[in-house]
């Protein structure tokens, strides 16, 4: 019973993280119909920006006392803003010139951007010599993550602890998803985004600034990835690996699988997919074997694509010729 | 007009003969003349050429974006390594090198052995069987690929590559070379699986030399070129251009997509075999999506659908990291390329001054950058991956079709016969109308 | 439209053109390479100081004087970029420190020593090309490298075939030195380290039930895990749970939950410090308060990132930072002054590998491969930072291991385990 509950809790928490990242993938796919490979690197950037910004605000990884409670949200917002900016720059300079190009080209550009982000993030900061005050964690060594929340346990059920961190992660994820839901279905901007994803040409004819909407989509997707990064740093105290580590790509891939499983292009599907993949991965590792962790996720992907390619919540589209 | 028996026989045999000739030239003449390090680079370039051209079949000709190519390479490499290693143990009691002069990667002068040794036959069989294993894997991957397009296929092939990697990493330990005698006692259904797992499959005898690699290069280039001109190749190209129209014209998309996968993975398997038996060790950890990306970059840079483009890109991308370690002056190579461009334009009598000026400026800028880095002591090699990434992005924005697009190099050099050129121009004009 | 492809048609033209182009390009560029190689070695790659993660007070740290023409050139191939960059960079730092020290003391036989480091991007094929380049183009007399056994196994055969001695600072797979008599190592091998961990757990800590959590994708981790299991069982202990994680994993809660169910008295974690910190924290969060035991991959300053989680845990290592012997303390001081970090195990091993090489160069009658190899093989009781090193008949290092306990994020000496 303990194991079941523990696996459930862990799976759902990680699933919430996957969901946040999957939302970014699904939104970009819905609008532009391509997989943004660089998204996982924006997530890695989010984790590292969290460390950087926390450092700027005076929170050190080795401090024995916790920072005041308001530091957390401030770091979150600043991290989201900075990653949103990075997302905007990527879209503006790497993807917009390829707006009408075949999908393969955009895919390859996305791979290029991903490689760029990974490797730039790992360069020794030769510019740090002139800015000694800035604590820049980038480089080939792992960086220490500062503690932003106390380690309190909220309650314990059947020997399984529900900590404040768990609650914060799931709570923030849920809040952000609700905010996104509100944005997409109850605001004008959301309506414009839905219109553009339905048909960019017609949306343009209706007076919607398609370029702006697409940029907004990227920015929002990147902000969600940054939030996921912040929550990741919150959950996995200790240290963050360097940006070119294969770990970030793997996480991003799993989140993408989550988006596909839930129905790509479908916001609710991304959330459902994220939770599903999180649960499947954890239950697989605990109850089957920890040797094939990544294989479970990919196996699910192949099964879904073979038997229900539109995903759980997607709608099958008939291709008209 | 049916060709005579003699002509058919000649057509079937001359690729092999030509490839053997090329292999011998590289191995006996060019190799020793250029020195050890340049030979190594040429060997690696050769393997990369085979990999890039094989990926062109799927990504370029058929337009299916496969991202799991390294997985096929791994399957072929492991299978071949297993056959050579355990085969040697069971047949001759030891895993030592048992080949002849053609496979001797070491000191040419002091080697005393036959021209083709018994190990060489094992090696050839191993490479071909490795290719067959990889082809079977390609069949398995190709079947579900029918339903998927574009991005989905990319992710599934990526996933397949990862699954292969995970499975190979879970295999039990290999039998050490000094315990070769025990290989006879292990039952045949267990022996092929002892592939070393995460430690990799090590201490293999090294058989790959310039000869075998360029034999493979020659065969691959000729065969793939013929494929492009054959009816299968036409079917591939039609699937790339417009799947629905192809289907309407009676092309069985199922069969041809699978065929593309199978052929491409067979060649990749052979390349993997050459790769593994060149290093003397093969490890699934290295043959993950990063390696697949490396091959994709070559194909994209060269132009998807262009054999010569993929070849050229493979050569450039093999040499580039070595150049970046210790960047030589840019102006000799720049002058060389400028000279080639001038000659080509003179031959075609079509002058493009702008491109010459751009080339000159690029050479100057690169040389200036190099001087700056040298003077400041910046180690460019560290930024190599950053440079690749930027190159990829700029390439996609500025010249997305790659170096040669879907054409081959001779289309740009005006070497076609005038009649054919006129026919091509007419059909292109018709297509554009 | 069928086209009869005959000898006189495009096929052969294609061949001629492609072949010609390939050859021309390769030759032109390798020609340039050769031309530049001879005068290029007086400039670039050796200078760049690649590892200064913290701000360096010196504004132009990379402008070093050119190498004198009669310098002794040694090569180092390591993963300086990519996901395992930490290991390559650390080792390189240690080697450079040793070289700087020796050059300041007059060099070897009156000649200065120069280093050429090539990045192999963490790949085996690149290792082969890098080693080939070092030997055939740069004409180094000896090679240091690599950290990872898989890459040592790739570079080893080349060194063996071309007759240049290679010293691996930290590859622990026994197969590495089996490649031939030119390949050496200055670290202990995994069978010994597994035995050390098992002996310590069973006899010093008196624990009999253990769990294992290892990295199934890494040769070091899997090999050490196997050796530990074997040794522990033969000493009478039992392994109650064996869990694996992969290279891309950072979430170990699932595996740790499984381990928790089996109630072990300790967990053996033969991994690198990059993962151990997170494993420890997550284990404590799950209520697993048993000690963790590990290997030399733990040794790093970054262990302090675990906070309290690693207190009371142990790992086997080559040396202890507390070792009051002057050479260890001096090494730590110099390393910290140059690189602003406490040296990890890899840096110490890199340092020792270089110093053993210089010692062998002193004793060897000439710099030829055979003589150097013979001199290295004759190394006895060399006073290294990582212990007193003797190269045995299998070209591995015979040395003691120390067990360190992590106290407040810093390793403290606990016990010494001698080879049996």
């Amino acid at each position: 019973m303990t194991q079941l509950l523990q696996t459930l809790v862990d799976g759902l928490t990680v699933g919430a993280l996957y969901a946040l990242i999957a939302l970014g993938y699904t939104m970009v796919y819905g609008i532009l119909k391509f997989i943004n490979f660089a998204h996982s690197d924006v997530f890695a950037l989010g984790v590292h920006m969290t460390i950087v910004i926390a450092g700027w605000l005076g929170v050190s990884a080795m401090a024995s006392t916790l920072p005041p409670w308001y530091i957390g949200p401030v770091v979150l917002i600043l991290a989201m803003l900075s990653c949103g900016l990075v997302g905007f720059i990527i879209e503006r300079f790497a993807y917009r010139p390829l707006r009408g190009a075949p999908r393969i080209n955009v895919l390859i550009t996305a791979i290029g951007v991903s490689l760029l982000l990974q490797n730039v993030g790992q360069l020794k900061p030769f510019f740090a010599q002139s800015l000694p005050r800035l604590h820049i964690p980038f480089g080939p060594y792992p960086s220490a993550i500062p503690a932003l929340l106390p380690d309190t346990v909220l309650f314990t059920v059947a020997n399984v602890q529900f900590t404040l961190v768990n609650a914060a992660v799931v709570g923030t994820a849920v809040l952000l998803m609700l905010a996104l839901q509100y944005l997409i279905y109850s605001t004008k901007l959301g309506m414009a985004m839905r219109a553009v994803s339905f048909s960019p040409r017609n949306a343009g004819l209706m007076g919607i600034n398609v370029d702006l909407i697409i940029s907004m989509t990227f920015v929002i997707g990147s902000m969600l990835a940054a939030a996921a990064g912040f929550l990741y740093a919150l959950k996995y105290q200790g240290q963050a690996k360097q940006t070119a580590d294969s770990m970030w790509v793997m996480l991003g891939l799993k989140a993408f699988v989550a988006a596909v499983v839930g129905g790509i292009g479908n916001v609710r599907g991304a959330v459902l997919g994220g939770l599903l993949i999180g649960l499947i991965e954890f239950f697989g590792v605990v109850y089957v074997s920890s040797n094939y962790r990544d294989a479970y996720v990919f196996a699910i992907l192949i099964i879904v694509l073979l038997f229900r390619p539109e995903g759980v919540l997607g709608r099958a589209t008939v291709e008209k010729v | 007009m049916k060709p005579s028996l003699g002509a058919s026989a000649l057509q079937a045999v001359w690729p092999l003969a030509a490839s053997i000739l090329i292999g011998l030239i590289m191995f006996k003449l060019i190799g020793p003349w250029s020195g050890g390090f340049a030979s190594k680079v040429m060997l690696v370039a050769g393997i990369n050429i085979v990999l890039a051209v094989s990926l062109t079949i799927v990504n370029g000709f058929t337009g299916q974006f496969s991202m799991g190519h390294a997985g096929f390479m791994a399957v072929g490499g492991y299978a071949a390594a297993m056959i050579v290693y355990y085969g040697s143990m069971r047949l001759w009691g030891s895993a030592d090198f048992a080949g002849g002069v053609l496979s001797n990667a070491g000191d040419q002068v002091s080697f005393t052995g036959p021209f083709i040794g018994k190990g060489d036959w094992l090696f050839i069989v191993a490479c071909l069987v490795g290719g067959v294993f990889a082809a079977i894997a390609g069949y398995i991957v190709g079947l579900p690929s029918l339903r998927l397009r574009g991005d989905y296929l990319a992710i599934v092939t990526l996933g397949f590559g990862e699954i292969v990697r995970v499975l190979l990493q879970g295999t039990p330990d290999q039998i050490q070379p000094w315990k070769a005698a025990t290989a006879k006692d292990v039952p045949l259904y267990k022996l092929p699986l002892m592939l070393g797992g995460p430690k990799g499959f090590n201490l293999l005898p090294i058989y790959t030399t310039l000869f075998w690699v360029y034999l493979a290069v020659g065969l691959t280039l000729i065969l793939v070129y013929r494929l492009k001109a054959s009816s299968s190749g036409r079917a591939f190209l039609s699937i790339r251009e417009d799947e629905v129209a192809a289907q309407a014209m009676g092309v069985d998309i199922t069969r041809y997509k699978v065929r593309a996968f199978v052929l491409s993975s067979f060649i990749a398997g052979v390349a993997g075999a050459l790769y593994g038996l060149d290093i003397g060790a093969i490890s699934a950890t290295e043959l993950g999506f990063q390696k697949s990306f490396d091959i994709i970059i070559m194909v994209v840079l060269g132009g998807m659908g262009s054999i010569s483009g993929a070849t050229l890109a493979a050569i450039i991308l093999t040499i580039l990291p070595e150049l970046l370690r210790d960047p030589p002056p840019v102006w000799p190579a720049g002058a060389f390329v400028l000279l080639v461009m001038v000659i080509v334009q003179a031959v075609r009598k079509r002058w493009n001054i702008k491109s010459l000026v751009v080339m000159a400026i690029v050479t100057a800028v690169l040389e200036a950058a190099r001087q700056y880095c040298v003077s400041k002591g910046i180690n460019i090699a560290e930024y190599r991956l950053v440079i690749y990434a930027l190159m990829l992005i700029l390439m996609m924005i500025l010249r997305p079709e790659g170096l040669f697009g879907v054409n081959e190099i001779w289309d740009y050099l005006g070497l076609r016969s005038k009649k054919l050129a006129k026919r091509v121009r007419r059909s292109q004009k018709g297509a554009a109308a | 439209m069928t086209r009869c492809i005959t000898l006189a048609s495009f096929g052969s033209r294609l061949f001629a053109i492609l072949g010609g182009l390939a050859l021309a390009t390769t030759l032109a560029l390798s020609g340039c390479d050769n031309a530049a190689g001879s005068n290029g070695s007086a400039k670039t790659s050796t200078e760049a100081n690649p590892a200064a993660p913290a701000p360096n007070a010196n504004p132009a740290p990379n402008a070093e004087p050119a190498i004198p023409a009669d310098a002794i050139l040694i090569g180092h191939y390591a993963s300086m970029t990519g996901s395992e960059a930490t290991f390559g960079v650390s080792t390189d730092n240690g080697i450079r420190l040793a070289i700087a020290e020796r050059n300041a003391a007059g060099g070897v036989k009156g000649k200065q020593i120069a280093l050429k480091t090539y990045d192999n991007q963490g790949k085996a094929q690149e290792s082969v090309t890098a080693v080939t380049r070092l030997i055939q183009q740069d004409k180094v007399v000896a090679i240091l490298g690599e950290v990872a056994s898989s890459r040592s196994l790739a570079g080893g055969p080349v060194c063996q075939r071309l007759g240049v001695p290679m010293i691996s600072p930290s590859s622990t797979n026994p197969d590495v030195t089996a490649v031939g008599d030119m390949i050496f190592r200055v670290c202990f091998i995994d069978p010994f380290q597994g035995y050390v961990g098992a002996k310590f757990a069973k006899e010093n800590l008196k624990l009999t039930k253990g769990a294992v959590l290892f990295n199934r994708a890494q040769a070091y981790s899997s090999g050490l895990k196997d050796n530990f299991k074997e040794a522990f069982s033969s000493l009478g202990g039992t392994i109650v749970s064996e869990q694996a994680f992969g290279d891309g994993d950072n979430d170990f809660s699932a595996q740790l939950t499984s381990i928790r169910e089996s109630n072990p008295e300790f967990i053996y974690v033969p991994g690198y410090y990059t993962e151990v910190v997170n494993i420890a924290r997550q284990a404590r969060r799950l209520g697993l308060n048993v000690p963790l035991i590990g290997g030399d991959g733990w040794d790093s300053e970054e262990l302090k990132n675990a906070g309290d989680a690693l207190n009371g845990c142990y790992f086997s290592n080559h040396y202890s930072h507390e070792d009051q012997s002057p050479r260890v303390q001096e090494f730590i001081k110099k390393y910290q002054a140059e690189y602003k970090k406490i040296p990890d195990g890899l840096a110490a091993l890199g340092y020792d590998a270089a110093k053993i090489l210089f010692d062998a160069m002193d004793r060897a009658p000439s710099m030829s491969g055979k003589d150097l190899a013979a001199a290295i093989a004759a190394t006895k009781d060399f006073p290294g930072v990582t212990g007193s090193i003797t190269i045995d008949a299998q070209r591995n290092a015979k040395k003691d291991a120390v067990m360190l306990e992590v106290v407040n994020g810093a390793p403290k000496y606990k016990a010494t385990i001698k080879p049996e």
Side-chain angles (χ1 to χ4, degrees):
Chain A
M1 183 56 193
T2 310
Q3 196 165 16
L4 180 70
L5 205 51
Q6 180 78 59
T7 316
L8 202 62
V9 167
D10 288 328
L12 284 175
T13 317
V14 174
L17 284 178
Y18 285 155
L20 277 178
I21 307 174
L23 281 170
Y25 278 116
T26 219
M27 279 173 32
V28 168
Y29 193 90
I31 291 223
L32 283 181
K33 302 277 182 293
F34 92 98
I35 305 173
N36 182 10
F37 268 106
H39 199 61
S40 60
D41 302 289
V42 177
F43 164 68
L45 182 68
V47 177
H48 284 86
M49 286 309 289
T50 309
I51 302 176
V52 171
I53 297 174
W56 288 348
L57 293 177
V59 180
S60 137
M62 290 299 107
S64 46
T65 56
L66 286 167
W69 65 269
Y70 54 80
I71 294 281
V74 169
V75 172
L76 174 62
I77 293 177
L78 285 176
M80 283 170 77
L81 286 176
S82 54
C83 286
L85 181 66
V86 170
F88 175 77
I89 293 175
I90 294 175
E91 193 273 327
R92 178 68 188 80
F93 293 108
Y95 297 149
R96 190 179 297 186
L98 292 162
R99 201 55 80 67
R103 297 236 289 277
I104 302 283
N105 296 7
V106 198
L107 202 63
I108 294 166
T109 312
I111 296 177
V113 173
S114 169
L115 284 176
L116 186 69
L117 285 176
Q118 280 177 9
N119 288 290
V120 165
Q122 235 187 227
L123 292 176
K124 264 78 72 181
F126 51 88
F127 50 80
Q129 295 178 14
S130 50
L131 303 164
R133 259 193 347 110
L134 294 178
H135 165 62
I136 303 190
F138 301 107
Y141 289 95
S143 339
I145 302 180
L148 291 169
L149 275 186
D151 231 349
T152 51
V153 178
L154 290 178
F155 55 90
T156 311
V157 170
N159 213 17
V160 175
Q161 301 172 324
F162 292 85
T163 59
L164 182 62
V165 171
N166 270 339
V169 170
V170 176
T172 317
V174 166
L175 250 147
L176 285 169
M177 289 183 230
L178 287 174
L180 187 71
Q181 163 98 339
Y182 175 76
L183 175 76
I184 293 193
Y185 290 103
S186 314
T187 63
K188 265 201 162 171
L189 175 64
M191 188 151 53
M193 287 166 77
R194 276 180 289 142
V196 172
S197 81
F198 190 75
S199 168
R201 225 190 68 176
N202 294 341
L205 289 172
M206 289 288 117
I208 295 176
N209 185 345
V210 175
D211 280 345
L212 183 68
I213 298 295
I214 295 181
S215 290
M216 285 306 306
T217 312
F218 266 90
V219 169
I220 294 176
S222 303
M223 284 169 69
L224 287 172
F230 172 81
L231 294 174
Y232 180 91
L234 216 55
K235 179 166 159 57
Y236 296 108
Q237 291 293 307
Q239 55 191 23
K241 299 242 197 111
Q242 57 271 29
T243 49
D245 201 285
S246 56
M247 164 197 146
W248 306 113
V249 181
M250 261 331 221
L251 268 170
L253 269 180
K254 289 183 191 164
F256 175 73
V257 172
V260 168
V261 163
I264 196 145
N266 186 326
V267 166
R268 293 182 185 121
V271 175
L272 179 65
L275 294 174
L276 267 176
I277 291 291
L279 286 171
I280 291 174
E281 190 185 344
F282 273 75
F283 274 93
V285 169
V286 174
Y287 287 105
V288 180
S289 158
S290 56
N291 266 323
Y292 304 110
R293 183 188 199 128
D294 300 335
Y296 300 137
V297 176
F298 284 113
I300 294 290
L301 172 73
I302 293 178
I303 293 174
V304 163
L305 283 180
L306 280 181
F307 297 110
R308 203 187 151 84
E310 64 270 16
V312 172
L313 290 185
R315 250 171 306 132
T317 48
V318 177
E319 192 176 329
K320 293 240 172 89
V321 288
Chain B
M1 186 194 88
K2 244 178 98 154
S4 68
L5 191 59
S8 297
L10 189 63
Q11 265 205 55
V13 165
W14 81 258
L16 186 59
S19 307
I20 292 180
L21 190 62
I22 293 176
L24 281 173
I25 293 177
M26 291 300 287
F27 183 56
K28 284 291 187 190
L29 294 178
I30 313 278
W33 180 76
S34 357
F37 174 59
S39 299
K40 197 76 201 175
V41 173
M42 287 193 275
L43 197 147
V44 176
I47 297 182
N48 284 338
I49 292 176
V50 175
L51 283 169
V53 171
S54 66
L55 189 59
T56 308
I57 301 178
V58 172
N59 281 22
F61 296 169
T62 324
Q64 307 294 299
F65 201 65
S66 159
M67 278 170 55
H69 214 58
F72 301 128
M73 199 182 153
V75 170
Y78 266 91
M82 179 258 296
I83 292 176
V84 168
Y85 190 70
Y86 290 127
S88 301
M89 279 188 182
R90 281 191 91 104
L91 288 173
W92 305 311
S94 107
D96 289 338
F97 175 74
V101 171
L102 283 177
S103 306
N104 177 33
D107 190 3
Q108 302 284 345
V109 178
S110 60
F111 182 71
T112 54
F115 193 64
I116 301 186
K118 57 185 183 184
D120 290 338
W121 298 113
L122 187 61
F123 174 63
I124 295 175
V125 166
C127 286
L128 292 173
V129 171
V132 167
F133 269 83
I136 296 175
Y139 186 75
I140 298 174
V141 172
L143 278 181
S145 80
L146 316 174
R147 292 233 229 154
L148 308 170
R149 329 154 273 138
D151 309 340
Y152 287 139
L153 180 66
I155 294 295
V156 163
T157 48
L158 192 67
F160 161 75
E162 290 305 295
I163 290 179
V164 162
R165 185 180 58 83
V166 168
L167 288 176
L168 284 171
Q169 272 174 353
T171 51
D173 281 347
Q174 69 181 98
I175 299 181
Q176 313 292 46
W178 50 89
K179 299 208 201 108
T182 61
K184 290 217 160 46
D185 309 322
V186 179
L188 262 178
Y189 63 85
K190 250 204 245 171
L191 194 60
L193 290 176
M194 303 176 77
L195 299 169
K199 303 187 196 137
F201 201 9
N202 304 313
L203 300 175
L204 306 167
I206 296 179
Y207 278 96
T208 309
T209 56
L210 276 176
F211 172 71
W212 297 113
V213 169
Y214 278 87
L215 173 66
V217 167
L219 280 174
T220 306
L221 287 177
I222 298 178
L223 289 175
V224 173
Y225 175 76
R226 280 184 159 182
L227 180 69
K228 193 176 183 186
S230 73
S231 59
S232 286
R234 296 282 177 226
F236 293 156
L237 297 175
S238 69
I239 297 178
R240 173 185 76 199
E241 296 301 323
D242 191 331
E243 229 175 86
V244 178
Q247 215 166 11
M249 295 307 287
V251 171
D252 186 352
I253 303 202
T254 309
R255 242 173 76 196
Y256 285 106
K257 278 190 190 177
V258 173
R259 193 175 285 188
F261 261 97
V262 168
L263 280 168
S264 149
S265 34
F266 175 80
I267 303 178
V270 173
L274 291 170
Y275 167 88
L277 291 165
D278 164 53
I279 303 179
I282 189 168
S283 166
T285 322
E286 296 215 355
L287 297 173
F289 56 77
Q290 312 279 15
K291 181 88 189 155
S292 295
F293 279 5
D294 287 344
I295 311 174
I296 290 175
I297 292 178
M298 288 176 209
V299 171
V300 166
L301 240 42
M304 295 217 279
S306 165
I307 305 173
S308 45
T311 311
L312 199 58
I315 297 175
I316 294 177
L317 286 178
T318 310
I319 300 181
L320 201 57
E322 296 305 318
L323 285 182
L324 287 180
R325 279 197 214 281
D326 209 359
V330 181
W331 63 264
F336 174 71
V337 173
L338 255 171
L339 194 66
V340 166
M341 284 171 77
V342 167
I343 294 178
V344 163
Q345 290 180 9
V347 161
R348 295 173 78 189
K349 299 207 182 41
R350 264 203 296 184
W351 291 98
N352 186 351
I353 304 288
K354 193 171 102 170
S355 66
L356 292 177
V357 171
V358 164
M359 190 65 217
I361 294 180
V362 163
T363 312
V365 164
L366 285 178
E367 178 67 29
R370 178 189 162 265
Q371 293 288 2
Y372 176 76
C373 290
V374 165
S375 65
K376 285 293 178 97
I378 300 176
N379 187 3
I380 301 189
E382 275 171 30
Y383 301 90
R384 180 188 35 123
L385 287 171
V386 175
I387 295 176
Y388 274 11
L390 279 173
M391 233 169 48
L392 204 58
I393 300 175
L394 285 173
M395 197 77 183
M396 283 295 111
I397 296 178
L398 298 175
R399 195 183 159 85
E401 68 267 21
L403 269 176
F404 294 141
V406 295
N407 308 312
E408 304 289 348
I409 189 171
W410 53 87
D411 296 339
Y412 292 96
L413 295 179
L415 288 171
R416 287 175 165 226
S417 70
K418 290 229 168 54
K419 229 188 346 189
L420 196 53
K422 225 187 279 182
R423 218 197 296 171
V424 168
R425 267 204 296 274
R426 218 187 307 135
S427 70
Q428 278 178 347
K429 240 189 292 187
Chain C
M1 174 174 94
T2 50
R3 287 207 292 229
C4 289
I5 304 184
T6 63
L7 269 171
S9 75
F10 301 123
S12 55
R13 276 202 227 172
L14 153 67
F15 242 78
I17 296 157
L18 277 180
L21 208 75
L23 285 174
T25 322
T26 317
L27 293 176
L29 294 173
S30 20
C32 285
D33 233 357
N34 274 321
S38 46
N39 53 17
S41 56
K43 291 191 230 142
T44 45
S45 330
T46 49
E47 276 65 60
N49 188 350
N56 208 335
N58 189 353
N62 297 323
E64 283 181 22
I67 317 169
D70 65 341
I72 302 175
L73 199 57
I74 62 177
H76 176 215
Y77 68 109
S79 57
M80 307 290 280
T81 57
S83 52
E84 297 190 21
T86 51
F87 307 141
V89 170
S90 282
T91 312
D92 200 55
N93 289 351
I95 295 176
R96 283 180 194 274
L97 194 64
I99 292 180
E101 228 178 69
R102 190 48 114 93
N103 279 345
V108 167
K109 296 187 173 154
K111 301 207 191 127
Q112 296 279 291
I113 303 168
L115 175 73
K116 245 189 172 1
T117 301
Y118 284 154
D119 172 26
N120 60 24
Q121 311 163 40
K123 298 185 190 167
Q125 174 109 79
E126 291 290 331
S127 301
V128 173
T129 343
V131 172
T132 312
R133 184 176 181 145
L134 282 170
I135 298 178
Q136 305 221 295
Q137 182 148 321
D138 300 314
K139 307 268 191 286
V140 297
V141 298
I143 292 200
L144 296 168
E146 228 253 12
V147 169
S149 303
S150 55
R151 298 192 280 277
S152 290
L153 281 162
V158 182
C159 291
Q160 178 69 32
R161 203 172 58 217
L162 295 170
V164 172
M166 176 178 122
I167 305 184
S168 166
S170 35
S171 288
T172 48
N173 185 336
D175 288 348
V176 167
T177 42
V179 168
D181 59 1
M182 287 278 160
I183 317 295
F184 302 86
R185 76 175 107 211
V186 296
C187 52
F188 41 59
I189 53 178
D190 281 336
F192 175 60
Q193 213 184 165
Y195 162 75
V196 166
K199 186 152 187 253
F200 182 75
K202 189 78 180 26
E203 293 175 14
N204 296 53
L205 295 179
K206 310 265 189 289
L207 303 171
T208 49
K209 284 193 331 171
V212 176
L213 179 60
F214 71 103
N215 186 338
R216 72 182 115 83
Q218 251 176 27
Y220 166 74
S221 194
S222 315
L224 193 48
K225 175 256 314 182
D226 285 332
N227 295 121
F228 173 80
K229 271 175 61 180
E230 221 181 279
F232 197 60
S233 311
S234 71
L235 283 173
T238 43
I239 307 284
V240 295
S241 170
E242 182 179 319
Q243 296 293 323
F245 59 92
D247 258 344
D249 284 358
N250 206 34
D251 188 318
F252 310 99
S253 36
Q255 292 95 326
L256 290 168
T257 313
S258 277
I259 289 181
R260 190 175 64 177
E261 296 302 304
S262 61
N263 259 325
E265 292 172 327
F266 70 92
I267 312 178
Y268 190 66
V269 188
Y272 286 108
Y273 61 86
T274 42
E275 283 113 17
V276 163
V277 168
N278 292 343
I279 293 177
R281 289 192 92 116
Q282 290 174 28
R284 302 308 177 223
R285 190 155 292 162
L286 282 172
L288 262 175
N289 290 317
V290 292
L292 298 162
I293 305 183
D296 64 328
W298 282 32
D299 189 17
S300 153
E301 206 181 24
E302 313 281 348
L303 280 188
K304 62 183 194 298
N305 291 344
D308 286 339
L310 277 173
N311 285 352
C313 296
Y314 308 89
F315 64 99
S316 51
N317 199 14
H318 311 269
Y319 78 121
S320 159
H321 303 278
E322 296 179 299
D323 189 341
Q324 286 309 318
S325 69
R327 61 171 188 261
V328 174
Q329 288 306 314
E330 247 199 78
F331 165 67
I332 297 182
K333 227 178 12 200
K334 276 195 223 162
Y335 191 93
Q336 251 187 315
E338 181 74 28
Y339 301 113
K340 313 281 184 293
K341 262 175 142 41
I342 296 181
D344 57 13
L346 296 174
L349 284 169
Y351 181 80
D352 271 350
K355 291 199 80 160
I356 286 188
L357 181 60
F358 302 151
D359 177 68
M361 282 182 183
D362 281 334
R363 285 181 281 117
S366 81
M367 292 291 172
S368 80
K370 274 200 158 48
D371 287 339
L372 268 182
I376 300 174
T379 305
K380 221 172 170 53
D381 292 326
F382 179 82
V385 163
T386 60
S388 174
I389 302 174
T390 301
I391 304 286
D392 66 12
Q394 279 78 39
R395 296 174 297 284
N396 299 325
K398 213 173 159 70
K399 54 207 291 210
D400 300 340
V402 292
M403 285 303 287
L404 304 177
E405 180 181 353
V406 183
V407 174
N408 287 333
K412 298 240 171 290
Y413 173 81
K414 182 81 178 162
T416 307
I417 313 275
K418 292 190 169 313
E420 40 181 38

